[in-house]
Amino acid sequence: MAEENEVKLFGKWSYDDLEVSDIALIDYIGITGKQATYLPHTQGRYQKKRFRKALAPIVERVACSLMRKGRNSGKKMMAVRIIQHTLDIIHLSTDENPLQILVDAIINSGPREDSTRVGSAGVVRRQAVDCSPFRRVNQAIYLLTTGAREASFRNIKTISECLSDEIINAARGSSNSYAIKKKDEIERVAKANR
């Protein structure tokens, strides 16, 4: 009976054996309890209050982040379809649970240190600061989807193929991934500004 009630994303991918290897990000990567959904389309009002989007399912947040650049805004069904194909491609090329690979990619692509602008009397200098876990997740999602969008623009490859490549590379920590490159660059700049 328990198996019948198990929630699987798109009816395929199980949330049961997922693990978040980074303790700091456990609260901000939604894959447990209420955040385990059949579709990344819950119609929740996650922008009404600060930090409420931390409660959104992580796959839905990636879907929302795909609806960028004016011509795609509001087309969530299209974004959900892209995510569905992406997860299929990831499963075919790695033979693992694609949700676990997505979680690993998000953990790997969020910069841990950033630099902010500290200005006094017209002199602006950069000061290195640590990133909060929430910002790390937000940045990671943004970098992954931006990398996929840039890769598929004016290209024969579909956005699903580009996004799956990006996620697989980021999960491995490979520097072929746009997100990993950007993260390394941000951390390098921050280190120089300590």
Side-chain angles (χ1 to χ4, degrees):
M1 187 65 195
E3 286 179 15
E4 286 178 25
N5 296 338
E6 188 191 355
V7 175
K8 291 186 171 184
L9 183 69
F10 297 121
K12 289 182 186 174
W13 317 118
S14 164
Y15 288 95
D16 282 354
D17 44 359
L18 299 183
E19 52 181 38
V20 181
S21 52
D22 192 325
I23 308 171
L25 304 182
I26 287 177
D27 295 338
Y28 298 105
I29 294 184
I31 45 174
T32 51
K34 262 191 171 174
Q35 286 120 323
T37 53
Y38 290 101
L39 279 178
H41 197 312
T42 58
Q43 299 168 345
R45 305 196 319 203
Y46 296 114
Q47 295 296 329
K48 281 288 178 198
K49 212 170 188 174
R50 190 178 177 197
F51 295 126
R52 190 170 291 170
K53 63 183 181 183
L55 304 174
I58 193 72
V59 187
E60 180 168 7
R61 293 198 55 198
V62 176
C64 291
S65 183
L66 279 171
M67 303 190 291
R68 292 285 166 83
K69 288 277 190 268
R71 60 182 186 176
N72 298 325
S73 55
K75 301 184 183 175
K76 192 159 182 183
M77 294 306 287
M78 186 167 86
V80 169
R81 175 72 49 78
I82 290 170
I83 293 284
Q84 188 174 359
H85 293 325
T86 301
L87 295 179
D88 286 337
I89 295 170
I90 291 175
H91 178 67
L92 287 173
S93 46
T94 61
D95 264 351
E96 292 173 45
N97 186 345
L99 291 178
Q100 181 62 60
I101 290 183
L102 176 63
V103 168
D104 293 345
I106 288 172
I107 290 170
N108 288 345
S109 15
R112 291 158 297 196
E113 192 179 21
D114 204 346
S115 43
T116 180
R117 296 178 53 167
V118 177
S120 56
V123 181
V124 175
R125 51 182 281 267
R126 310 292 292 264
Q127 174 65 42
V129 289
D130 294 335
C131 277
S132 72
F134 193 37
R135 179 160 169 79
R136 279 178 60 189
V137 173
N138 298 346
Q139 282 275 81
I141 293 172
Y142 168 76
L143 291 174
L144 287 168
T145 51
T146 306
R149 190 178 303 112
E150 286 184 7
S152 69
F153 187 60
R154 296 207 175 141
N155 192 347
I156 211 163
K157 279 176 102 171
T158 63
I159 181 83
S160 309
E161 290 168 1
C162 292
L163 184 58
S164 60
D165 286 351
E166 180 70 36
I167 288 172
I168 290 169
N169 285 332
R172 289 182 184 144
S174 152
S175 57
N176 292 344
S177 153
Y178 171 90
I180 298 281
K181 264 189 236 160
K182 278 285 185 200
K183 171 198 159 185
D184 290 344
E185 185 188 332
I186 290 169
E187 288 182 350
R188 198 169 59 244
V189 171
K191 190 173 181 184
N193 292 319
R194 275 182 188 159

